[in-house]
Amino acid sequence: MSNILSVPITDKLTYIGVNDRTTQLFENMWPLENGVSYNSYLITDEKTALLDTVKVNRMDVFLEKLDEALEGRNLDYLVIQHMEPDHSGAIETVMELYPNVKLVGNKKTREFLKNYYDIEEESFIEVVEGDKLELGETNLTFYMTPMVHWPESMVSFDEKNGILYSQDIFGSFGALGGPIFDDEINWDLYLPETIRYYTNIVGKYSKQVQIAMKKLGALDIKMVCAVHGPIWRDNPGRIIDLYAKLANYETEEGVVVVYGSMYGNTEKMAETIARSLSANGIKNIKLYDVSKTHLSYLLSDLWRYDGIVLGSCTYNNGVFPLMQNLLQTLLKQKMSNHTLAVFGSYGWGGGSVRDLMKFAEESKYDLVETTADAKGSATKEDLELCKQIGKEMADILKAKRA
Ligand code: FEO
């Protein structure tokens, strides 16, 4: 076979995924400055099986690749591992083009097919945990991974070849611009995009990721084929270890300082704290203006490093609205295992530090005792408190890692 668009992975497996550099925001929320790939795989054994499709906006390229990889053969099965439309968008068209294809999924997949696409197929093959689909030399075994990322999510394992088709699990942002295998990519470029994908999309379900990974840990995995990001054929342990670390809320030493400031008074306090952190031995310090940096990047770094400093001016008697959005997101994502310090400023009645303290209570992070709450512009005494916040945070983090 001469592949032009599709990429052979083994003699019976072909990559037919596509890149999306047009969509600005994933889920219409998370920036895609480096694009994203929607991966799809075709197994051509005695039977043929397609694993997942792609988002509808890239369907034309996908169908060309599918046609090329099939080399005139029929499509026997479409395994639907996940129904989010970035993977299910081409199902109806595939069914039209290959009318004999049998859909394979679980009971919940069936409900989603009806609700999203009004598809009700008599021939639907409903599978449960441990069921197998025989394709010839290749057999797929199905494992349910509920809530990673949706209730119907499941993975498929080719035991003979050790290939795990992992749907969203082990995925990454970033289009595959040439390199598609882990031994071809520059990991320094993909690591931040993988952490951002995990924390933005999957992080809320970290407990379910832990359960899924425990289950998958029993398998002899030699290759990971996820639905976003690179194919891990050389060192699948690298992505498995990274996901395990993120799902278990393991952090690196460092502090992320995020502030909301209208006229620079709160910013001045943030800079004083950041300087104190550095003077007290913290190497990784990220200082962000909540109005300038998208929540997606804040969440990624906040998850990654163990210290968090949040500061806010007072706006309408409470915390700055963009900071409020960040606080709500951190609580919803159930981010855990961090040390927190808070500070703020106000013009007359105050309220931002009160709201930040409420967040501190709800988040259950370890809290640095000292706070600072400046009236108007920070006084010398307020800035001394900021220096103290930096020192206390640095001392706590160093002691935790000692
Ligand atoms: Fe990539 Fe949850 O879809």
Side-chain angles (χ1 to χ4, degrees), residues 194-207:
T194 307
I195 295 173
R196 197 164 66 85
Y197 173 82
Y198 181 87
T199 56
N200 292 187
I201 309 300
V202 186
K204 178 183 189 312
Y205 306 105
S206 286
K207 295 288 179 212

Side-chain angles (χ1 to χ4, degrees), residues 26 82 84 86-87 149 168 197 228:
F26 192 82
H82 181 23
E84 191 165 4
D86 53 335
H87 311 293
H149 165 227
D168 274 352
Y197 173 82
H228 301 291

